[in-house]
Structures are given as C-alpha cells and as structure tokens.
Amino acid sequence: MGTTGEEAREKRVTWAELYFDLVFVFAITQVSALLHHHHDALGLARALVVFVPVYWCWVGTTVQANIRDVDNLRDRLGILLVGLAGLFMALAVPGAWAGRGLLLGLAYWLARVVLLLLLVRVPGVWQGPYGAGVLVSGPLLVIGGLLPDGPRLALWAAAALCDLSAPLVFRRRLAAVAYHPTHMPERFALFLLVAIGESIVGIGGTAAESRLDAAELAAVAAAFTISAGLWWQYFVYASDAMRHAVEVADSRRDVIRRIFQYGHLALAAGVIGVAVGFGETVAEPWHELGPGAVALLYGGCALYLLTFGYTRWMMFRKVATTRLGTAAVVLALAPAMVRLPALVVLTTLAVVLVGLNVLEHLRVSRAAPEENSRTPERAVGGSV
C-alpha cells in the first residue's frame, strides 16, 4: 500500500488520549478485583462480560482519535467526557452484578452517544459500529442493569457480542475509513502496557502487606520475572512487526480489526488473569493454590502466548512455533501445579518464560543476515 503525504506525517498520541488512559488504569484494576473475588467459571464469564464494554469504550475512542485530528477544543472535551463515563463504569464494576448494574449500563451508553456525536459529520456513521453501540449494545446494557443476575448476564453477553461483531458486520462500510498506520499500534501497545502494569500492582499490592521474608521476596522476584517475560514477548518481539503489518497491508481495516481490536482483547485478558493469579500467590508462597488460582496464572499465560500464534498467522501466514509450543507446555504443566506451593508454581512458570525468551533471542539472531537484522519481520521473533 502506498503512503500518502498525510500518512507520511507521523500521527502522535495526544496528551488528552494519555490522560484518558489513566481512567482505564483504574478500570482494569476494578475488573481484576472482580475476578479476584470470583474466579470460578461463572466469575470468569461475568468478568469477561464486564470487561468487554470497558475495553470497547476505549477502542471506540482510540479509533475516533485515529481517523480525526483530535487536538482541538471540541474533541479534547469529548475525550474527557468519555473518560468521565469510563470512570463511572469503573466505579460500577465491583457492584455490576448487584446494585450498580444500571450505572454501568448508563455510563457505557453515555460514552457511545458522545463518541457518535464527535463523529456525527462523518457520512453513514449511524450505519456502523458507532451506531450499533448507541442503538443496540448501549440499550441492552441499560436494560440488563435493571434485571436479575441470570437475564442480566444474557443481555450483557448479547451486548458484548454486538460490539465485537460490529466491525465484521459493517466490514464493507468500514473499507472507506482511512486509518493512520502509526497511531493505532502505539495506542494498543499503550493499552497492553496498562494491563501489564496491573500485574505489577498484583505483585506489589499483595506483597506490601506481608512480612517480606526470604520466601516472599523470592515469590516477588519470580512473579516479576513472569511479568517482565510477558512484556518482553510483546515489546521486544512483536510490537514492531504489528506496526509493519499495518503499514504494508492491502486492507488496513482487516489488520486493525483482527490484530488490534480482537487480538489485543485476548492479550489483555490473558495478562489480567496472570495479574489476579499473582494476588493469590505472592503473599503465601508455601500454600497450595488450588485449581482456580492455577487456572488464572497458567491459563492467562497460555492465552497470551496462543494469541501471538493467532496474530503472527494473521500478519504473515506463519506459525509461531515457539510460542504455541510454550503455551502447550504451560497448559500441560497446569494440572501438576494444583497441589504444589505457590513459590514452586511461580518459579516454574518464570523458568518457562525465560526459556522461551532465550530461545526466541537465539532464533532471531540466526534468522537473517546482518543487513536485515532490524526489519520488523525479524522483530516478530523468528518463529517458523
């Protein structure tokens, strides 16, 4: 795809967007807390159903900022108003399945209305994802907030499916949207960094209240190694490749939908699972975790790695052998971890991730001649 003069001028993330992200730091913390208190199968479903509208509110604002110049009074105020709605949503999350369901629904609907109004001059904006948010998913969340648990879960799940399917349903209409190739990867990388930051909170928030003896400090070190390993996989081996994929794609719309809107939802969900798992492990290194905490810790890590298999295939039609193989190892180890001390569980996962990153480094170093050593294809990790 050729680069126009407008695209040649690199679009930068604005200060308003970065301030907006601070709301979602809090929102992710609230979703993690919800999952921490209820991490059985039903709790996982409820947390996911609540996380999707929070995430999609962020996605809608990011797309709006990508396709428009938002460094002006009107759009700054609009972004801040969406941020206020996001703050209301975050405050509602802990009681989303009790008395604050209506607040979550109304706050989400407000955010979608504001985003639609910011783009109201765009032809056909009603007949796309922004219109679907105002006319379908927003009302479903509001109505669900008035109902008991069972019907609420059904309606909120339908709202989440509406939001997630809208880019597919309106795929042809979105073909005319001119996405900026550098802004979008940076925004989604920042969102994932926020999610990874929650893993640090999961470590430090728990450890700060403990005795900090040698075993607990060892557990902190192992958990931090896991968090750093997850960061390394994305920001050393994948982020440049994702940006490159957008820049050269024949259809940026499809790359953005598959890699960023969908792929990063799974990446963030995996990291949140790991972060909640840390809260169950660091303060009590000699206690057995049980299946729920192991599922969050190892299942979240496996989901994160499996998603890289999906994104690499979507970008380059290549198999991420090392990441998929490591995900299989993590899942195979999980049942054996259920009755082991938390410190052993953490250390084992840390060793696996360090091993993966070492292997990726060696494969990348040997994958291409020196003149190609800085290309994005190499940066994706050299997995074949």
Side-chain angles (χ1 to χ4, degrees):
M1 174 178 287
T3 301
T4 67
E6 180 67 23
E7 290 170 347
R9 296 193 298 272
E10 183 171 346
K11 185 180 179 73
R12 304 298 300 271
V13 175
T14 65
W15 292 113
E17 292 173 85
L18 293 174
Y19 180 75
F20 170 80
D21 286 352
L22 297 179
V23 172
F24 289 85
V25 173
F26 177 56
I28 289 177
T29 297
Q30 295 289 81
V31 173
S32 297
L34 181 67
L35 187 56
H36 174 76
H37 293 298
H38 306 282
H39 48 252
D40 55 6
L42 180 59
L44 285 170
R46 286 178 167 180
L48 180 60
V49 165
V50 169
F51 179 55
V52 168
V54 170
Y55 174 76
W56 215 248
C57 179
W58 184 91
V59 168
T61 309
T62 295
V63 171
Q64 181 260 347
N66 180 270
I67 64 178
R68 286 175 49 85
D69 176 13
V70 297
D71 206 8
N72 58 74
L73 178 62
R74 176 178 178 270
D75 286 283
R76 286 192 202 104
L77 292 175
I79 288 173
L80 292 179
L81 185 52
V82 176
L84 177 60
L87 182 57
F88 288 155
M89 291 177 67
L91 291 171
V93 165
W97 301 99
R100 295 184 183 177
L102 181 59
L103 175 60
L104 187 143
L106 288 172
Y108 178 76
W109 202 6
L110 171 62
R112 301 305 298 189
V113 168
V114 172
L115 287 171
L116 182 66
L117 291 176
L118 290 174
L119 294 169
V120 72
R121 296 176 184 174
V122 177
V125 70
W126 282 93
Q127 300 170 321
Y130 289 92
V134 171
L135 299 175
V136 183
S137 57
L140 284 174
L141 281 167
V142 172
I143 295 170
L146 295 169
L147 299 177
D149 275 5
R152 179 178 301 182
L153 179 59
L155 283 186
W156 283 7
L161 289 174
C162 172
D163 279 338
L164 293 174
S165 64
L168 283 172
V169 172
F170 299 105
R171 181 174 178 272
R172 291 186 179 181
R173 182 170 295 278
L174 295 175
V177 177
Y179 295 103
H180 197 283
T182 58
H183 174 267
M184 194 71 77
E186 184 178 3
R187 292 297 292 131
F188 277 87
L190 286 169
F191 185 86
L192 187 62
L193 193 61
V194 167
I196 292 175
E198 180 61 24
S199 70
I200 302 298
V201 174
I203 298 168
T206 303
E209 299 177 357
S210 63
R211 298 183 307 277
L212 293 180
D213 58 21
E216 288 162 355
L217 289 174
V220 168
F224 180 79
T225 301
I226 294 167
S227 176
L230 298 178
W231 172 86
W232 200 284
Q233 277 294 303
Y234 184 93
F235 289 95
V236 176
Y237 296 128
S239 59
D240 286 345
M242 290 178 178
R243 174 170 172 163
H244 174 70
V246 176
E247 291 174 344
V248 303
D250 293 329
S251 173
R252 286 179 182 165
R253 164 206 60 195
D254 290 338
V255 171
I256 286 169
R257 184 185 74 248
R258 296 167 182 168
I259 305 305
F260 294 102
Q261 295 179 348
Y262 295 157
H264 282 65
L265 173 62
L267 288 171
V271 171
I272 290 172
V274 172
V276 177
F278 286 159
E280 303 284 328
T281 58
V282 172
E284 298 180 334
W286 299 121
H287 286 204
E288 295 179 3
L289 291 183
V294 170
L296 286 171
L297 195 59
Y298 277 58
C301 182
L303 174 60
Y304 188 80
L305 297 176
L306 288 170
T307 303
F308 282 122
Y310 160 79
T311 58
R312 182 171 174 80
W313 180 258
M314 287 297 172
M315 289 189 295
F316 304 118
R317 290 297 187 265
K318 291 186 177 181
V319 178
T321 310
T322 52
R323 292 176 185 133
L324 294 177
T326 304
V329 169
V330 169
L331 291 174
L333 286 172
M337 298 293 114
V338 172
R339 297 190 178 279
L340 294 178
L343 179 57
V344 175
V345 175
L346 288 170
T347 303
T348 301
L349 186 56
V351 169
V352 170
L353 284 175
V354 169
L356 170 62
N357 280 302
V358 170
L359 179 60
E360 292 277 17
H361 174 76
L362 293 175
R363 291 172 69 88
V364 167
S365 298
R366 299 167 182 168
E370 182 63 27
E371 61 268 23
N372 294 326
S373 64
R374 293 183 178 88
T375 63
E377 173 63 12
R378 183 178 179 272
V380 81
S383 300
V384 294

